[in-house]
Amino acid sequence: MTSSAPIFRSLEALQQHLDTLPPPAPGWRRVYRGQTKDYPQMIPSGVRRRTREYWSLWHRHAMLVAPFESDLALAEAKGVPSTLDMLSYWVHAIAQHYGGDSNYLDVTSDIQSALWFALYQMVSKEGTIVLGPGTAPDPVHDVPVKQTFWRYERWEEPAYLYVFDVPPWDGKGPLEHGTLIDVAAQAPHLVSDSTRMAVQRASLLYADSDIGDLTSFYVTPPLRVAWPMEGAERLSHGTLEIFPPPTVDPWYEIFLRQPLTIVPTATDAVRYAHPIPVALYLYDTPAERNDLIARLNMEQPPLASRGMREMMVDGGADAGTLARFDAATVIYCEAALQALLQTRRSSSWHSALLMSDLPSNADTQQLGSDESAGAVDLMNVIFEFSPLESIAAASAYNTSAVDYVRALWVVRNENTILVVPFIQQADGPGVTTSPFRVVQEANAPGGMAFYAGENPIPHEVAGFLVAPVRAALFALRSLARGEKILPNVLASFDPGEANGKFLAGVDEATTTLCLATVRPFDVPLYVLRQEGEVFFGPGKSTTRLFVVPATQPFGSIPVNELRERAKEAK
């Protein structure tokens, strides 16, 4: 772009120039995008930022907290195939507008919307809020939390308007590079009714990860635009109008509802953030600013394991128990493993497999590098679960809040698995219980039975432990080296029939345990990484599939038989 290019300062002059451009090819659409600065390439953030540590986390959790399944019929009515695979496209659309990176580029058919983003710049302001267990000041439990707030201010230099001609998506097949998605016309109503997308007249332009750059779809070199841009009435709108507040935007409210949590980092500094990243906007009016801040919340205590210890001390735990607790390896699960493992395509689990191949220790490395952090004991572990577990559970039960297991102390020896849960109550403080002994029983619900000493505990009492114990054992098992048969069925066909089949898988990936020191708690906290991303259970690491006759429940098939069939599939 040369400095001699004309600068359009009125909507009328700009429109007159646009009218001289050749029309789109038959069937193609013309869309626009505004930016304060021009760059050699036009690449969406999800393609441009090669480090995707939280990429899968954002998209999988969006599927958990949003009731997409209830929208399938309406999607079909709009001509959109009503499958969760297709709805994953819409998760990416939400990501582009509310938080995570994606392969989409924001564009619009509305010239004034594009001009707004050209002539306003996003600026940040750091602020500190105090979060605690009540409304009154509490010096012991209140936590000062630094947050970044965003607002848009006028950009006084010449900016850039981009004009694209692109083919529209047919709503059925896979997306190709440069395909346009018309959100209002094609998306299920839960997405197309997004207040933010509606206000911004949003459409999305898809970029293939292997290609990235979308400049080949330019109709003309970028056009320079500047204030006062007479005739563009929408330029008088502020941040509040373009990014509607949670009081009128249900999607924004969903993501703000997440409790702030500790975010492990490669430094000693403690950082609090939403587990699914979401931008906080500094609105123009005090009422909207105060409402947004009032929605920020944090579960107490910030580290559940610290709350467990306090309760153990208050309950008179002996010195030996406290010493063993203090020696436990603390693993923080950033993904909602309990919920994600419950949403696998089959509820059939093989508890004997789940409890096999559990490693006794694991090598670790520093978070953010390949530097070794030594080996840790995995026979004595505390799992800190993500607060997203509560959001997913509340969404599943269509309620505002639920009790959930926020932490689980898992102690193993050669023959026994003992677990102690820390239960975060929906309307009160966390509570803990006496130890439960976990026993593999194929006919028990979830394949697990629980005992207090030698006394069996009815499933109606102890059934809440199945999901957290399953998540903890699955995570531990992922740390074992070598191939492992997945303990859950990937798909089933006519189970129980003579010709029924289970589709099973083999996982050869090894999850890495990464160390992050969290101050001011001075707790060595470990996080799980697999192929550079946050660990979220079985997925792309499934390297081999094999078929098993489904004449009996999957959990009843002898482990040796499964291993033999896995070998035959090589």
Side-chain angles (χ1 to χ4, degrees):
M1 175 64 63
T2 64
S3 58
S4 61
I7 300 176
F8 297 97
R9 300 179 184 274
S10 74
L11 182 60
E12 181 180 6
L14 175 62
Q15 188 61 64
Q16 287 177 353
H17 178 78
L18 292 174
D19 290 342
T20 67
L21 299 177
W28 283 36
R29 297 270 302 278
R30 179 157 294 173
V31 290
Y32 309 92
R33 175 179 172 84
Q35 293 183 180
T36 56
K37 297 180 180 179
D38 182 41
Y39 299 96
Q41 295 180 307
M42 183 65 72
I43 304 176
S45 59
V47 180
R48 188 171 65 248
R49 298 169 185 165
R50 292 298 181 183
T51 300
R52 297 188 178 188
E53 193 173 19
Y54 291 91
W55 173 273
S56 298
L57 179 68
W58 204 104
H59 297 93
R60 285 176 178 263
H61 282 158
M63 291 291 286
L64 285 177
V65 303
F68 278 113
E69 288 86 346
S70 65
D71 204 39
L72 295 179
L74 287 168
E76 190 70 42
K78 281 192 170 188
V80 180
S82 57
T83 67
L84 291 179
D85 287 340
M86 297 303 291
L87 286 176
S88 68
Y89 289 137
W90 309 121
V91 175
H92 285 263
I94 291 297
Q96 179 63 26
H97 280 271
Y98 289 91
D101 297 331
S102 79
N103 281 47
Y104 294 142
L105 187 74
D106 289 318
V107 294
T108 177
S109 58
D110 182 72
I111 295 174
Q112 291 198 42
S113 291
L115 286 172
W116 194 94
F117 284 96
L119 296 174
Y120 282 90
Q121 65 171 328
M122 193 176 187
V123 296
S124 64
K125 181 177 181 181
E126 301 296 321
T128 299
I129 58 176
V130 177
L131 298 177
T135 55
D138 184 341
V140 175
H141 297 102
D142 283 349
V143 179
V145 178
K146 291 183 178 180
Q147 294 289 287
T148 301
F149 295 85
W150 301 91
R151 65 175 297 149
Y152 281 80
E153 297 178 353
R154 279 177 56 136
W155 175 256
E156 299 297 345
E157 302 295 325
Y160 299 88
L161 181 75
Y162 302 85
V163 185
F164 301 83
D165 280 352
V166 287
W169 181 42
D170 63 7
K172 299 175 183 178
L175 292 169
E176 296 182 358
H177 185 67
T179 300
L180 179 73
I181 299 178
D182 186 334
V183 175
Q186 293 180 297
H189 91 286
L190 277 177
V191 176
S192 62
D193 287 355
S194 157
T195 312
R196 183 178 299 181
M197 291 189 186
V199 166
Q200 297 176 9
R201 276 76 163 177
S203 292
L204 299 167
L205 195 56
Y206 176 76
D208 185 287
S209 296
D210 294 331
I211 303 174
D213 188 17
L214 291 162
T215 56
S216 62
F217 295 92
Y218 286 176
V219 178
T220 179
L223 304 175
R224 297 212 295 173
V225 296
W227 294 99
M229 195 49 64
E230 296 171 350
E233 298 178 354
R234 295 193 69 210
L235 293 186
S236 63
H237 291 173
T239 304
L240 181 66
E241 289 82 11
I242 302 299
F243 296 88
T247 51
V248 296
D249 188 342
W251 271 108
Y252 197 24
E253 191 277 330
I254 285 174
F255 292 118
L256 287 176
R257 191 190 306 163
Q258 312 166 73
L260 293 168
T261 187
I262 290 173
V263 178
T265 64
T267 68
D268 286 346
V270 63
R271 185 167 71 89
Y272 297 92
H274 290 99
I276 301 177
V278 58
L280 305 177
Y281 290 101
L282 193 62
Y283 287 121
D284 307 313
T285 65
E288 297 297 347
R289 287 199 300 270
N290 293 337
D291 175 79
L292 184 144
I293 292 173
R295 293 172 185 270
L296 303 181
N297 67 94
M298 177 188 293
E299 291 182 336
Q300 295 288 341
L303 276 179
S305 53
R306 300 304 90 192
M308 287 185 74
R309 195 185 193 284
E310 290 178 7
M311 290 186 175
M312 291 167 63
V313 171
D314 293 342
D318 60 67
T321 300
L322 292 175
R324 189 161 196 182
F325 184 89
D326 292 339
T329 301
V330 182
I331 299 177
Y332 182 80
C333 300
E334 296 156 284
L337 285 182
Q338 297 181 46
L340 289 169
L341 292 177
Q342 283 185 316
T343 57
R344 304 302 296 169
R345 282 178 284 181
S346 170
S347 60
S348 297
W349 280 78
H350 201 298
S351 54
L353 269 178
L354 183 64
M355 296 181 189
S356 68
D357 302 319
L358 296 176
S360 59
N361 55 69
D363 294 328
T364 69
Q365 64 186 44
Q366 295 288 341
L367 181 63
S369 77
D370 295 329
E371 181 183 350
S372 172
V376 295
D377 178 22
L378 296 181
M379 303 298 284
N380 180 22
V381 179
I382 299 169
F383 282 90
E384 296 254 2
F385 292 112
S386 168
L388 286 171
E389 303 284 9
S390 65
I391 301 295
S395 177
Y397 289 102
N398 195 28
T399 185
S400 59
V402 294
D403 296 353
Y404 81 102
V405 176
R406 191 176 160 209
L408 191 72
W409 184 18
V410 182
V411 180
R412 296 185 290 134
N413 59 33
E414 290 184 1
N415 303 309
T416 306
I417 299 176
L418 293 177
V419 297
V420 179
F422 178 81
I423 304 166
Q424 186 73 49
Q425 296 179 299
D427 55 357
V431 297
T432 190
T433 72
S434 300
F436 291 88
R437 183 164 56 92
V438 185
V439 177
Q440 181 269 324
E441 291 184 7
N443 295 326
M448 299 178 195
F450 297 91
Y451 289 76
E454 298 301 320
N455 300 316
I457 306 299
H459 181 75
E460 294 77 16
V461 176
F464 73 95
L465 286 169
V466 171
V469 170
R470 177 185 293 162
L473 296 182
F474 195 98
L476 283 175
R477 196 168 181 263
S478 75
L479 293 167
R481 296 187 178 278
E483 70 174 32
K484 303 169 284 290
I485 299 173
L486 292 175
N488 60 297
V489 172
L490 299 177
S492 58
F493 308 93
D494 302 320
E497 302 294 330
N499 61 345
K501 294 180 177 63
F502 291 126
L503 182 64
V506 175
D507 186 353
E508 295 182 355
T510 299
T511 303
T512 303
L513 209 53
C514 299
L515 171 64
T517 300
V518 180
R519 299 186 185 278
F521 304 101
D522 291 321
V523 175
L525 197 68
Y526 294 86
V527 294
L528 299 159
R529 291 289 181 272
Q530 191 173 82
E531 298 183 24
E533 293 189 355
V534 171
F535 176 74
F536 51 79
K540 61 185 179 183
S541 60
T542 302
T543 55
R544 189 167 76 252
L545 302 177
F546 62 98
V547 175
V548 183
T551 55
Q552 59 182 318
F554 183 67
S556 299
I557 300 174
V559 172
N560 288 339
E561 179 181 339
L562 291 173
R563 287 176 174 159
E564 286 300 319
R565 290 188 176 275
K567 288 180 181 179
E568 293 170 1
K570 281 189 175 180

